Amino acid sequence: MDLNNIIERIGYFRNKANLSARALSLNIDKNPAYITKLEAGEFEPSMRVILEIIQACNITPEEFFSENIDTYKLDKETLNIIKNLPENKKLALKELLK
């Protein structure tokens, strides 16, 4: 994942959390224009700031960095269902999916 993807995801999750750029900036104790400048690509955020943004948007790092953010919740729910199946049903499902 490159910097452009990270910046796009910040905007995506900020909007999904119904936070303005100003509100998110203030939520992470930054200048009111911080997120606007960040999303404009004026600078690179530190990992600490990314984690603060993730927390402010009420998501997990796993969700933020997931391969497909559009299907993350469905993928996670599906994997949890599969994980809790007995071994014989996992094997049957594996064969069915082949």
Side-chain angles (χ1 to χ4, degrees):
M1 179 176 302
D2 65 16
L3 179 59
N4 288 333
N5 294 115
I6 290 171
I7 290 171
E8 286 174 15
R9 286 172 185 240
I10 289 170
Y12 172 86
F13 286 111
R14 176 180 63 74
N15 287 320
K16 195 171 175 185
N18 293 316
L19 292 169
S20 67
R22 184 178 193 284
L24 179 56
S25 295
L26 295 173
N27 195 311
I28 62 169
D29 295 322
K30 297 291 184 189
N31 175 296
Y34 181 87
I35 295 296
T36 300
K37 291 180 178 183
L38 172 64
E39 290 180 356
E42 292 185 24
F43 58 88
E44 209 172 300
S46 68
M47 183 54 75
R48 182 184 61 77
V49 168
I50 292 170
L51 292 173
E52 289 174 354
I53 291 169
I54 288 169
Q55 183 176 16
C57 291
N58 200 29
I59 58 172
T60 64
E62 179 184 24
E63 183 173 2
F64 184 87
F65 291 106
S66 67
E67 191 171 324
N68 189 338
I69 57 177
D70 296 324
T71 63
Y72 169 78
K73 289 185 179 179
L74 176 61
D75 293 346
K76 185 170 174 105
E77 184 179 321
T78 303
L79 288 172
N80 282 335
I81 291 169
I82 292 169
K83 187 187 211 180
N84 292 319
L85 289 173
E87 185 178 356
N88 64 326
K89 289 192 177 188
K90 287 180 186 176
L91 291 169
L93 180 58
K94 178 181 165 188
E95 290 304 313
L96 177 68
L97 294 173
K98 282 185 178 180

